[in-house]
């Protein structure tokens, strides 16, 4: 039976009763500002703090309720560490009048107030110089789409001050939250040692900053290959969670073309942990939009309810969809039904949603509302 923690009011009342029933001669009632009354309030407050501290200690004593550094300590027992914040990097192009270049270490301002620094001397060709850059501050806010505006922090002779992001800034991720770290730790306690199983590849992939979901297709590209698909729902929210880059293997893998962008980051991370004979190929799933037609909402056909329906369907796809997977009618009926609408019907899709191929992943398309 769970322990019922007394409230501060309960403790105050108990302290007053203890004083009144404690045998002190002549004490039948306590005035509000009497010494004994004040002492009772102080003792009750101290007891309440002690109960709170003990309650906090009990939460840190097990990994499923631990927080902060205590959760990290539980993860350390299984070799699980919190994903650190990472800085995004990309390329910016400027127009030049001759063969001038931008040296390394030059400050570049990106749209949105981001400050980047050139990481190497730019390469100039055909009136344009391309500058490799890295955002100074770590975090997902540093991910910037191609086409954004950029400007030199200090003028460089022969180079226009205003330029354009020609290669999207990618790789930026926030520090992993407790809510994301905890499931990885609990999964590690559930499982045994690492041996290159499908669960191990999923674990290794989701340890990479920004990766939220991963799937494995053994022998997906032939015998001896391991195909790993992944999503970055938070870092790549503007791209519906889909990684940005080219599919492929790690930079050190000589048996297959190297990946690029987000895929290369994951592939390089897996290369240090995978079995030596495995050829690991990292891919982004191919989105397969699925349109919905919802009718018979009656009085519930409001803008607010339509927004709730969209959110419920998006959550369903995040929870249940995967590359090469199948979603059933009961899945979306349950998701929408949980909203408590008086009535509704779904005419499209008329049957289960089946991925068109092993690399395709069903995602939410357009929602139409019929009368």
């Amino acid at each position: 039976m769970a322990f019922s923690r007394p409230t501060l009011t309960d403790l105050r009342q108990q302290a007053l009763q203890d004083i009144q029933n404690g045998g002190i001669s002549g004490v039948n009632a306590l005035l509000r500002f009497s010494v004994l009354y004040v002492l009772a309030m102080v003792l009750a407050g101290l007891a309440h703090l002690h109960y709170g501290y003990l309650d906090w200690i009990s939460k840190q004593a097990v990994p499923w309720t631990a927080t902060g550094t205590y959760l990290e300590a539980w993860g350390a027992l299984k070799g699980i560490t919190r994903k650190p914040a990472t800085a995004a990097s990309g390329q910016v192009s400027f127009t030049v009048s001759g063969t001038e270049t931008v040296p390394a270490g030059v400050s570049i301002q990106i749209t949105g107030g981001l400050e980047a620094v050139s990481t190497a001397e730019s390469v100039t060709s055909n009136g344009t110089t391309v500058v490799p850059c890295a955002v100074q501050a770590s975090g997902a806010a540093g991910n910037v789409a191609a086409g954004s505006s950029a400007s030199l922090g200090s003028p460089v002779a022969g180079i226009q001050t205003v330029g354009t992001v020609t290669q999207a800034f990618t790789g930026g991720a926030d520090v992993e939250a407790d809510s994301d770290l905890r499931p990885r730790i609990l999964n590690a306690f559930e499982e045994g040692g690492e041996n290159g199983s499908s669960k191990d590849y999923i674990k290794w992939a989701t340890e990479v900053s920004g990766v939220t979901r991963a799937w494995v297709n053994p022998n997906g590209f032939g015998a001896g290959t391991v195909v790993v698909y992944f999503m970055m729902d938070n870092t790549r929210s503007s791209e519906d969670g889909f990684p940005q880059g080219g599919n492929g293997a790690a930079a050190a893998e000589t048996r297959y073309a190297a990946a690029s962008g987000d895929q290369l980051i994951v592939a390089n991370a897996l290369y240090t942990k995978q079995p030596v004979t495995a050829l690991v190929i990292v891919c982004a799933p191919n989105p397969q939009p699925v349109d919905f037609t919802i009718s018979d909402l009656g009085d519930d056909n409001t803008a607010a309810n339509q927004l709730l329906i969209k959110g419920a369907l998006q959550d369903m796809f995040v929870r249940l969809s995967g590359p090469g997977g199948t979603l059933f009618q009961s899945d979306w009926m349950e998701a929408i039904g949980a909203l408590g609408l008086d009535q509704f019907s779904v005419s499209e899709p008329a049957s289960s949603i089946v991925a068109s191929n092993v690399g395709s992943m069903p995602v939410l398309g357009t929602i139409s509302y019929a009368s």
Side-chain angles (χ1 to χ4, degrees):
M1 181 177 178
F3 175 76
S4 178
R5 176 183 168 186
T7 65
L8 179 58
T9 301
D10 293 335
L11 291 170
R12 286 174 172 173
Q13 188 62 35
Q14 182 179 338
L16 291 173
Q17 290 176 352
D18 289 344
I19 291 174
Q20 291 173 341
N21 301 329
I24 301 177
S25 177
V27 178
N28 297 319
L30 295 176
L31 296 176
R32 182 179 179 186
F33 297 109
S34 66
V35 173
L36 290 178
Y37 185 93
V38 173
L39 288 176
M41 296 299 103
V42 171
L43 292 174
L46 290 174
H48 188 261
L49 289 175
H50 291 156
Y51 275 114
Y53 181 57
L54 292 172
D55 190 34
W56 178 82
I57 289 175
S58 68
K59 291 181 179 180
Q60 311 311 319
V62 287
W64 49 86
T65 53
T67 58
T69 56
Y70 297 90
L71 179 61
E72 293 175 3
W74 280 107
L77 296 176
K78 287 292 185 178
I80 305 297
T81 58
R82 189 186 299 273
K83 300 177 189 177
T86 56
S89 59
Q91 292 182 351
V92 177
S93 295
F94 296 94
T95 301
V96 298
S97 58
T99 60
E100 293 82 359
T101 60
V102 177
V106 173
S107 174
I108 297 175
Q109 305 299 319
I110 311 295
T111 298
L114 295 173
E115 181 180 354
V117 171
S118 57
T119 55
E121 185 177 1
S122 65
V123 177
T124 300
S125 176
N126 298 324
T128 300
T129 189
V130 179
V131 189
C133 306
V135 177
Q136 288 293 86
S138 299
N143 296 315
V144 179
S148 300
S149 177
S151 60
L152 291 171
S154 56
V156 178
I159 299 178
Q160 287 190 2
T161 303
V162 178
T164 304
V165 175
T166 50
Q167 179 178 307
F169 281 72
T170 62
D174 296 326
V175 175
E176 186 176 21
D178 284 355
S179 58
D180 296 322
L181 175 60
R182 184 175 292 107
R184 297 202 294 117
I185 294 175
L186 295 179
N187 289 337
F189 275 98
E190 283 183 18
E191 300 167 0
E194 298 176 348
N195 53 20
S197 66
S198 293
K199 288 184 177 180
D200 289 337
Y201 279 101
I202 293 174
K203 173 191 169 189
W204 296 333
T206 52
E207 286 176 348
V208 179
S209 293
V211 176
T212 54
R213 294 181 283 161
W215 303 266
V216 177
N217 181 15
N219 297 322
F221 286 1
T225 63
V226 178
V227 182
V228 178
Y229 298 94
F230 71 101
M231 291 288 284
M232 309 178 80
D233 296 296
N234 299 323
T235 303
R236 292 296 179 197
S237 58
S238 59
E239 289 83 16
D240 297 325
F242 285 89
Q244 300 299 297
N247 301 334
E253 178 61 74
T254 59
R255 296 171 292 173
Y256 200 86
S260 63
D262 296 330
Q263 288 90 315
L264 180 60
I265 294 173
V266 175
N268 286 341
L270 295 178
Y271 190 77
T272 62
K273 301 178 179 181
Q274 67 192 51
V276 294
T277 57
L279 173 55
V280 179
I281 303 167
V282 178
C283 301
N286 297 316
Q288 179 180 322
V290 179
D291 296 335
F292 279 75
T293 299
I294 300 174
S295 57
D296 298 330
L297 284 171
D299 293 337
D300 286 332
N301 191 11
T302 63
N305 282 333
Q306 290 180 8
L307 190 61
L308 290 174
I309 292 172
K310 181 179 180 180
L313 291 176
Q314 287 175 330
D315 176 72
M316 177 201 70
F317 278 102
V318 170
R319 289 185 294 106
L320 303 178
S321 185
T326 300
L327 295 173
F328 302 96
Q329 288 180 307
S330 58
D331 294 330
W332 57 81
M333 296 301 288
E334 179 182 0
I336 300 175
L339 299 176
L341 302 174
D342 290 335
Q343 60 186 49
F344 71 92
S345 62
V346 181
S347 55
E348 292 291 338
S351 59
S352 298
I353 302 169
V354 181
S356 57
N357 56 63
V358 70
S360 295
M361 186 171 76
V363 297
L364 181 62
T366 301
I367 305 177
S368 301
Y369 296 90
S371 57

